Amino acid sequence: MKISELSERSGVPIPTIKYYIREGLLPGGRRTSANQAQYDQEHLERLRLVRSLRDVADLGVATIKQTLEAIDAAAAEPPELPALAVALRALGGPRTAGGQDAGEEAHRRVDRLLDDLGWQVPPESAARSHLARALAAIDHHWHGGVSAEMLAAYARLAGELAQLEIPQTWDPHREPGEALRYAVLGTVLFEPVILSLRRLAHIDRSHRLAARRGGSAPSPEAPHPPR
Amino acid sequence: MKISELSERSGVPIPTIKYYIREGLLPGGRRTSANQAQYDQEHLERLRLVRSLRDVADLGVATIKQTLEAIDAAAAEPPELPALAVALRALGGPRTAGGQDAGEEAHRRVDRLLDDLGWQVPPESAARSHLARALAAIDHHWHGGVSAEMLAAYARLAGELAQLEIPQTWDPHREPGEALRYAVLGTVLFEPVILSLRRLAHIDRSHRLAARRGGSAPSPEAPHPPR
């Protein structure tokens, strides 16, 4: 297809497509004459991914480029390599400021947790450091920190989330590059869904609690005991 | 306590404390002479909250101020009012760019979901719009969008998360302002824990899948069927 059709089908203006090509976010088309080039389905797919990462995850051009390179590199590796770990590293952590650097202790805690869970996560995965930093921040800002039981409960729910999601993203019939694109996109697309639903659930629970507290003396038992 | 002790106990430098007072993030101390003022436990607590919101949630001064005002306003209201909804509104949404504006249909979908769940969430809650925007982004960027079954499964897990967390944050014996401070802080402190754990779980599952795929022909069944 010509660049005009690529623009039409992707909804991305032609000058922006040219800008992405110059910045290395999109490969150039196959030249057919001095001032014409042909683009294919691969260009369209990549263009859609670029826009998704930009619009949904609010990523800048440099981070998008790193993420795409990581996806390409990981897709080219033998499948034993932890491709998703590599691709997610480029994406950067969930929203948290620098704040505390996670100390040794927080890192050891993450190691122990993953060992206990039996999760196979390569030592160099960025998500390990993100979790360590988040735990260090809680130790610093939250009275009593997070208990081993709470952390295990969070991990159990995260495992259930992944079980729910994996059939959608890691279809074994998919070609590795496509599977990775889907996995990275799924990471960023569904994070706001999960966090918004959690906030809504908190509002619901606090609402019920407040109504109860407004009525009579506070009830001594937690209204929603953990199962 | 004097400002020097407040600084020592909070770890916040004196000039920064003075800056927060000028910006309205912290009430001034009780004047005891022309150039001395006394601060109390309330100042220390608030200072810690300001630092948490800054370090953990990466919020700017203006957003922190709005969040504190919302907490104060909500805490002063009768407990029937949806205090947490008000306080969370000021906090802003989870990380997502402007991107798509959620259309009518996405908003209606959120309304239906909350109705089906029986969750009590005031119509003006910002988290409703965040969810609608996240769903609109998925419809736009994810082939097939998100099914009603998947959305219900996400909601079920979010409800379990809240059940797990509510006993920690919404202790009915706590005074409303303190409970709100905790709830807002818990929202921002634990979001990165949840997202990091989800990424780790995905890496683990994709690792297992890739190893399996590397070994022999792809297995037709999903390796982790949803329960």
Side-chain angles (χ1 to χ4, degrees), chain A residues 21-69:
Chain A
I21 294 175
R22 282 199 307 279
E23 292 290 326
L25 264 56
L26 192 71
R30 190 173 47 82
R31 287 252 153 248
T32 49
S33 74
N35 52 9
Q36 277 219 331
Q38 282 289 317
Y39 299 85
D40 57 20
Q41 191 62 26
E42 192 66 26
H43 287 92
L44 185 59
E45 290 295 327
R46 171 144 299 207
L47 202 45
R48 284 185 177 145
L49 182 59
V50 168
R51 297 298 268 196
S52 298
L53 292 174
R54 194 202 64 158
D55 291 345
V56 182
D58 202 13
L59 299 181
V61 165
T63 308
I64 294 176
K65 192 176 173 188
Q66 284 167 20
T67 303
L68 295 173
E69 284 169 358

Side-chain angles (χ1 to χ4, degrees), chain A residues 187-205:
Chain A
T187 297
V188 300
L189 275 176
F190 287 89
E191 286 184 351
V193 172
I194 295 163
L195 297 187
S196 302
L197 281 168
R198 172 174 174 255
R199 290 188 185 187
L200 290 167
H202 277 195
I203 291 170
D204 167 61
R205 301 297 192 281

